[in-house]
Amino acid sequence: MGRVGGFRSPSNRARYDAVYDEGLRALPEPAAVHDVPTSFGTVRVYRFGAGDDPLVLLPGRCGTSILFRTHLPRLARRHRVHTVDLLGEPGRSEQTASIRDAEDQARWLDETLAGLGLDTAHLLGVSSGGWLAANLAIRRPARVLSVTLADPVATFAPLPPALVLRAIPVGLPYVSSWARPRFLAWITGADPADAVEGRLVSAGFQHFRIALPRPVPFTGEQLRGIGAPVLALIGGRSVVHDPRRAVARARELLRHGEAELWPDAAHAMAADEVTERTLRFLSGG
């Protein structure tokens, strides 16, 4: 079976759920809630809006569907939006089998979309969710209509060693209480306590033990092989990669891609700006 992610204890889950429920109350009322069975566990998906054009939102690490709180009102006016709590991470999805590699990551997401009845869909992925979106476009191209990537990790440039080193104290029990908020503020450029999304990400790191493979950067051949249109948005102040290297590689390798460097943006890009650019991209503008 291998390792699976899970909450550290029932009390850890209860404390996490209190923050998750706070975030859920801040979302628009979903049109439907789905628990989709896959080979690796059950995936929680919320649906918003009633349009015919499906758009699937994939959050960053520990972000859950709550990450898209401020994106949803505008996106759901134009699209049938599905937000995914990623399998193997904190949230309402429940992992039951080990996710070993990029192929497993593509498989559970592909099975999720199939379970939702989505033969094809547009994808919007943020941070590690961007890596998942690109991975699906590479490994299950028939499922993907387009891909929008908001500062995706390990996609066009590798994770810097400094990032990996600074992440280590976040998981240590005796120092994580002060290391975690400092690390998240350094990553996102904002105090995680300022919004429910940040508090939920922090609670996820605190209360959940993740057992997922580290995202492996894609080869040039894989990126050149993506047939779907791609919009890559790279934050000029991002610390999860070398921004200029990432945007240069995206421009070089994506056959049907647009890559933009947003000089003043940190890794956590402004939701309004990402939403506006995504809508223009999906409408062909």
Side-chain angles (χ1 to χ4, degrees):
M1 284 289 290
R3 297 178 63 219
V4 300
F7 288 94
R8 300 180 189 276
S9 71
S11 62
N12 283 108
R13 172 145 208 171
R15 288 193 286 272
Y16 176 84
D17 281 346
V19 186
Y20 187 98
D21 288 340
E22 177 193 357
L24 205 58
R25 290 190 294 271
L27 293 183
E29 185 69 24
V33 180
H34 302 279
D35 289 310
V36 183
T38 75
S39 300
F40 300 90
T42 302
V43 180
R44 169 62 60 90
V45 182
Y46 300 94
R47 179 169 65 80
F48 303 87
D52 293 329
D53 209 12
L55 173 61
V56 176
L57 309 186
L58 303 171
R61 177 59 50 91
C62 296
T64 77
S65 297
I66 310 303
L67 180 74
F68 298 106
R69 175 178 64 91
T70 53
H71 301 72
L72 281 168
R74 291 192 63 204
L75 291 175
R77 284 200 293 267
R78 294 261 297 274
H79 295 272
R80 178 161 38 103
V81 177
H82 303 263
T83 66
V84 180
D85 283 8
L86 301 183
L87 199 58
E89 299 198 12
R92 294 288 157 84
S93 294
E94 297 283 347
Q95 185 184 5
T96 57
S98 177
I99 296 172
R100 299 157 297 182
D101 53 25
E103 174 57 32
D104 285 351
Q105 292 279 39
R107 183 178 172 190
W108 77 254
L109 184 52
D110 181 61
E111 290 177 356
T112 300
L113 299 188
L116 293 168
L118 301 179
D119 293 331
T120 57
H122 301 281
L123 306 179
L124 165 59
V126 174
S127 186
S128 58
W131 182 91
L132 283 170
N135 186 56
L136 191 72
I138 288 167
R139 298 176 186 276
R140 301 292 190 277
R143 187 75 68 184
V144 179
L145 292 172
S146 75
V147 185
T148 302
L149 308 174
D151 212 47
V153 302
T155 301
F156 304 113
L159 296 171
L163 173 64
V164 177
L165 290 173
R166 292 185 71 153
I168 292 172
V170 175
L172 300 177
Y174 298 108
V175 298
S176 63
S177 60
W178 61 262
R180 185 176 59 256
R182 291 185 182 186
F183 176 74
L184 293 175
W186 178 68
I187 287 280
T188 65
D191 185 340
D194 285 347
V196 67
E197 299 96 306
R199 294 193 294 275
L200 188 67
V201 170
S202 182
F205 276 104
Q206 180 180 5
H207 299 301
F208 193 90
R209 185 179 296 107
I210 292 173
L212 290 173
R214 183 180 296 175
V216 176
F218 302 113
T219 66
E221 181 180 2
Q222 287 175 316
L223 292 172
R224 276 190 293 267
I226 296 177
V230 179
L231 172 64
L233 308 175
I234 308 298
R237 296 193 295 112
S238 175
V239 297
V240 304
H241 46 206
D242 179 331
R244 282 157 184 79
R245 177 181 176 186
V247 77
R249 194 160 182 259
R251 288 169 177 167
E252 175 191 357
L253 296 174
L254 293 174
R255 291 188 294 123
H256 308 288
E258 304 173 46
E260 299 176 1
L261 182 67
W262 291 9
D264 297 326
H267 180 56
M269 293 176 149
D272 288 348
E273 295 177 11
V274 171
T275 298
E276 172 62 27
R277 187 64 186 93
T278 299
L279 288 172
R280 285 195 288 114
F281 173 64
L282 292 177
S283 65

